[in-house]
Amino acid sequence: MAKFLSHDQINDFKECFSLYDKKRRGQIYACDLLTVMRCLGCCPTLSELDKHLLTHNIDKSGELEFSTFLSMMLQQIRQENPRAEILVAMRTMDPKNRGFIPVSELRTKLTGFGERLADQEVDELLNEAGVTSDGRIDYEEFVKTVPAAPELPSSAPVVIQGKNCISQTFQPANTPKTAKK
């Protein structure tokens, strides 16, 4: 099955991938996969990461090539929709389906569960959220302030069909590391 990514996306992915290619052999360690994907704007869960590795028969202590990484990124981009996920979560805090949730309840959830946010981070979110005078948030409007997942282009796609295509076209970058981990 053909997969579509733009030249710019592939170049961005290759640049980040190369920063974690410690041996300069065109491979990264599976243990770095989560970090690389998150650096590129994706937010895979640990179970999603395990699924990607399992799909490609890669052990958690193994390595993966760039072509495999591209396939994983494409799959991750296709399945992510942070706005929809947040909207579903906020609707669970609104059992009467009024379209609003109390700021105090949102603050408690954001600072106390999952990847906990600091109070300052919550304050920044709330400043963008448009809190009403009675201390509520219109969560439909709030979700619009959330950045979308990286998008697949609708024009000028590059067709990636297999390992050979990628390995011939994209060699490990010879650029020096510019970012520290």
Side-chain angles (χ1 to χ4, degrees), residues 21-96:
D21 180 7
K22 295 175 177 96
K23 296 179 183 176
R24 303 318 245 178
R25 295 182 319 148
Q27 297 178 333
I28 62 169
Y29 292 107
C31 63
D32 290 329
L33 183 58
L34 179 68
T35 303
V36 177
M37 290 179 108
R38 287 190 174 172
C39 286
L40 291 166
C42 287
C43 298
T45 63
L46 294 177
S47 63
E48 288 171 338
L49 217 57
D50 289 344
K51 185 177 177 182
H52 289 309
L53 293 172
L54 184 64
T55 299
H56 294 279
N57 295 320
I58 297 172
D59 187 74
K60 289 182 182 181
S61 62
E63 294 178 309
L64 57 136
E65 296 178 354
F66 184 63
S67 60
T68 304
F69 172 72
L70 277 182
S71 177
M72 291 177 179
M73 282 296 293
L74 181 69
Q75 181 62 35
Q76 190 65 36
I77 289 169
R78 285 185 170 161
Q79 72 187 28
E80 282 190 8
N81 187 346
R83 290 179 178 162
E85 291 173 16
I86 292 170
L87 194 55
V88 166
M90 291 190 154
R91 284 183 177 145
T92 63
M93 292 186 273
D94 181 20
K96 294 183 180 176

Side-chain angles (χ1 to χ4, degrees), residues 86-132:
I86 292 170
L87 194 55
V88 166
M90 291 190 154
R91 284 183 177 145
T92 63
M93 292 186 273
D94 181 20
K96 294 183 180 176
N97 216 15
R98 294 182 178 161
F100 291 91
I101 56 171
V103 170
S104 58
E105 187 174 349
L106 180 59
R107 180 179 290 280
T108 300
K109 303 275 193 243
L110 293 174
T111 59
F113 298 100
E115 280 191 48
R116 296 177 179 138
L117 298 180
D119 284 327
Q120 181 181 354
E121 292 172 308
V122 174
D123 291 340
E124 289 172 13
L125 276 174
L126 295 176
N127 285 338
E128 292 182 35
V131 179
T132 63

